[in-house]
Amino acid sequence: DERSVASHYELRDVIYEKSPEGIARVTINRPERRNAFTPRTVKEMRWCMDDARDDMTIGVVVMRGMGDLAFCSGGDQSARGDGGYVDAKAGGAEETPRLNVLDLQMQIRRMPKPVIASVAGYAVGGGHILHMVCDLTIAADNAVFGQTGPKVGSFDAGYGSTHMARLIGQKKAREMWFLARLYNASDALKMGLVNTVVPLAELETETAVWCREILRNSPTAIRLCKNALNAAEDGQAGIQDLGGSATLLFYQSEEGNEGRRAFLEGRKPDFSKFKRFP
Ligand code: 2NE
């Protein structure tokens, strides 16, 4: 029941689908590399996230990896130059290195609709961080989680560390980063890293069930709850996001529109009729 999205943006590493019921699905399509991402993969995912945000028919976004073996194995180590991750330019020259996956993490945090990670197989390295910054994680029973960065000379000292500590606690977060072990799905459930674990064959169906349950609820209530949960972690940037939603609501009110109308009509605004709620 899904239709692919025709767009002006050429997607090569990612498959983007939207269903009429309001679910957008972003699939990393590099199974031969366990769905590792390059800067190009991330740019494509960012384009999809922008589209899903702006599309008012979409109420929930699902992120997944192609195949059963991996959700995402993090940064593609073969795309890592001396200064960081790069795409090769024509002629073999390197582009300017930039860790653009941090922008993707921010987009997921700021998406005013839930983003669900649907994890089969490995979610490791930067791929593990992507599932952590998603609002919910549904794991298949073959899922494996871990931070492999310290083994390959990499780390994420942003959400990858601090949000992890909020999810699983300081001791466990330090264990995950310092030892770089891998954890199976039932460990992950006990640690609070994922919301539920289902048999691999049921992952897609169960993800759709969660999406549909979300879609039945008030989009504005969900948006504000997400804003608030983020704001408790994100400081001033989180308050800005919550504030943006408050402004969106206020602009839809009579009181907000009285100010605009008065200005355009060249008169003084009359706010006297609006209640000062306790
Ligand atoms: C994911 C894992 C554990 C899977 O193991 P296995 O045994 O199932 O598969 P295999 O044979 O290792 O991988 C299959 C193919 O995928 C490539 C492999 O090189 C292999 O290629 P071929 O030999 O068939 O040609 N592949 C897998 N992951 C890749 C990767 N990340 N980059 C490039 N090629 C990859 C196992 O493959 C594994 O441990 N992968 C490496 C995980 C890793 O260290 N990721 C980077 C961590 S750093 C990071 O992502 C990061 C961060 O920490 C902070 C910010 C941003 C990024």
Side-chain angles (χ1 to χ4, degrees):
D1 62 334
E2 273 167 335
R3 58 190 156 89
S4 284
V5 174
S7 75
H8 65 275
Y9 195 91
E10 193 200 328
L11 297 177
R12 186 192 68 190
D13 290 0
V14 169
I15 297 171
Y16 183 49
E17 297 153 305
K18 295 197 263 189
S19 78
E21 59 188 326
I23 304 167
R25 195 164 77 166
V26 181
T27 305
I28 306 174
N29 188 24
R30 304 186 76 234
E32 70 289 350
R33 292 278 167 101
R34 298 292 185 267
N35 297 317
F37 55 75
T38 68
R40 177 180 173 129
T41 320
V42 173
K43 267 182 216 153
E44 292 185 14
M45 292 173 85
R46 294 193 61 214
W47 184 90
C48 299
M49 289 293 165
D50 258 346
D51 182 88
R53 176 172 186 145
D54 290 347
D55 187 336
M56 293 206 273
T57 70
I58 294 300
V60 56
V61 182
V62 172
M63 184 183 287
R64 64 200 274 271
M66 180 55 77
D68 294 341
L69 297 181
F71 168 77
C72 174
S73 65
D76 186 323
Q77 296 307 293
S78 65
R80 205 171 138 188
D82 291 342
Y85 295 95
V86 284
D87 280 320
K89 275 182 181 168
E94 280 188 355
E95 276 190 21
T96 309
R98 199 169 84 78
L99 198 57
N100 59 350
V101 74
L102 301 184
D103 298 323
L104 175 62
Q105 293 173 9
M106 287 307 298
Q107 255 181 316
I108 295 169
R109 292 283 289 186
R110 290 217 156 198
M111 175 78 68
K113 342 181 164 180
V115 184
I116 301 182
S118 187
V119 177
Y122 290 101
V124 297
H128 187 255
I129 297 158
L130 286 181
H131 104 83
M132 284 197 297
V133 297
C134 287
D135 298 294
L136 302 167
T137 298
I138 301 177
D141 53 8
N142 77 334
V144 178
F145 301 87
Q147 293 304 154
T148 49
K151 290 183 184 163
V152 295
S154 180
F155 58 91
D156 183 329
Y159 284 119
S161 297
T162 59
H163 185 54
M164 181 196 282
R166 293 212 177 211
L167 287 177
I168 63 174
Q170 284 283 346
K171 294 279 184 187
K172 214 63 191 169
R174 284 161 208 247
E175 175 188 313
M176 263 195 117
W177 275 107
F178 297 171
L179 279 70
R181 282 185 185 166
L182 297 178
Y183 300 82
N184 65 27
S186 87
D187 291 336
L189 187 62
K190 281 184 217 133
M191 285 155 70
L193 262 180
V194 304
N195 295 85
T196 189
V197 179
V198 296
L200 175 61
E202 290 167 26
L203 181 62
E204 196 171 334
T205 323
E206 188 64 14
T207 304
V209 167
W210 285 55
C211 289
R212 288 182 189 128
E213 240 173 283
I214 289 169
L215 288 168
R216 281 202 289 272
N217 293 332
S218 155
T220 308
I222 290 170
R223 177 185 185 125
L224 271 289
C225 286
K226 176 165 176 172
N227 289 157
L229 290 163
N230 285 350
E233 267 185 72
D234 290 353
Q236 216 164 353
I239 293 168
Q240 187 209 35
D241 207 20
L242 181 61
S245 292
T247 311
L248 176 74
L249 292 177
F250 186 59
Y251 279 178
Q252 296 171 53
S253 73
E254 261 303 299
E255 185 179 341
N257 278 305
E258 168 60 11
R260 173 180 62 102
R261 272 198 299 269
F263 178 82
L264 294 175
E265 291 164 11
R267 60 175 172 82
K268 287 194 173 149
D270 176 10
F271 290 116
S272 63
K273 60 185 168 194
F274 299 109
K275 294 186 179 128
R276 292 186 166 84
F277 287 100

